[in-house]
């Protein structure tokens, strides 16, 4: 049988049935916590009874939060004269958002990696075709995939104005 707790004083029994293998997965343990486990051997006795062994020493197992939040949805880029406003639907799991800009095929530039609200204003962007990427960041520091939008600032050559 197996028992689990965050503090051993409030342990709960996880299995009543005998486990046929020397391993077991706790599918109900929540992430971003450390859980303490104890196990005991149980032997079947001829005639239908069981003999319980001594509980094991407590073993602490960390379950880190490794899962990123979903990416922001409904991201839009709004050119407003000499600035670009970005807006998106809030991600409930997000603590902050990371906003990045890319001009043409050049390297990305981090504009802000701790945006608290689901909006961002970039003052005096460069002229050209700008791609903005926004990632949600959860309390454990996990980053979502990027949501992207595009804005054109000034005149971009090559299309003849059509």
């Amino acid at each position: 049988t197996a028992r689990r707790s965050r503090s051993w004083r409030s342990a709960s029994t996880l299995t009543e049935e005998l486990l046929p293998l020397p391993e077991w997965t706790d599918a109900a343990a929540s992430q971003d916590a450390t859980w303490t486990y104890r196990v005991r051997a149980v032997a079947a006795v001829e005639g239908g009874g069981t003999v319980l062994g001594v509980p094991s020493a407590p073993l602490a197992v960390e379950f880190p939060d490794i899962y990123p939040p979903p990416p922001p949805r409904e991201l839009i880029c709004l050119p407003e004269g000499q600035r670009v406003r970005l807006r998106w639907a809030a991600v409930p799991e997000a603590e902050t958002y990371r906003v990045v800009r890319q001009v043409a095929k050049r390297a990305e530039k981090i504009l802000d990696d701790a945006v608290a609200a689901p909006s961002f204003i970039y003052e005096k962007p460069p002229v050209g075709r700008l791609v903005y990427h926004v990632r949600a960041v959860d309390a454990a520091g996990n980053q979502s995939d990027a949501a992207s939008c595009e804005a054109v600032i000034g005149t971009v050559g090559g299309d003849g104005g059509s």
Side-chain angles (χ1 to χ4, degrees):
T1 63
R3 292 175 61 89
R4 171 186 68 201
S5 70
R6 284 199 185 189
S7 78
W8 191 243
R9 287 181 283 264
S10 63
S12 60
T13 300
L14 299 173
T15 63
E16 292 293 339
E17 72 279 357
L18 299 179
L19 304 173
L21 301 173
E23 62 183 55
W24 174 76
T25 301
D26 184 358
S30 62
Q31 63 183 3
D32 204 21
T34 298
W35 294 97
T36 302
Y37 294 88
R38 292 182 84 174
V39 295
R40 81 170 50 193
V42 179
V45 176
E46 193 173 309
T50 58
V51 175
L52 298 177
V54 177
S56 69
L59 173 66
V61 179
E62 290 184 41
F63 286 87
D65 178 356
I66 59 171
Y67 300 101
R73 294 178 297 108
E74 303 171 23
L75 172 64
I76 57 172
C77 292
L78 302 166
E80 298 175 341
Q82 293 299 308
R83 66 185 194 174
V84 176
R85 179 186 307 266
L86 283 74
R87 292 189 314 189
W88 57 91
V91 175
E93 298 90 340
E95 289 287 316
T96 60
Y97 301 92
R98 176 178 238 193
V99 179
V100 175
R101 184 199 71 222
Q102 188 173 19
V103 179
K105 300 282 185 193
R106 289 182 255 161
E108 293 181 345
K109 177 181 177 183
I110 298 171
L111 301 178
D112 196 333
D113 62 355
V115 176
S119 65
F120 180 79
I121 296 175
Y122 185 61
E123 301 288 345
K124 299 184 181 172
V127 171
R129 185 174 310 275
L130 309 174
V131 178
Y132 291 88
H133 305 287
V134 177
R135 290 178 171 84
V137 182
D138 67 15
N142 300 309
Q143 288 188 44
S144 72
D145 290 334
S148 301
C149 65
E150 199 173 287
V152 176
I153 304 298
T155 304
V156 178
D159 65 359
S162 55

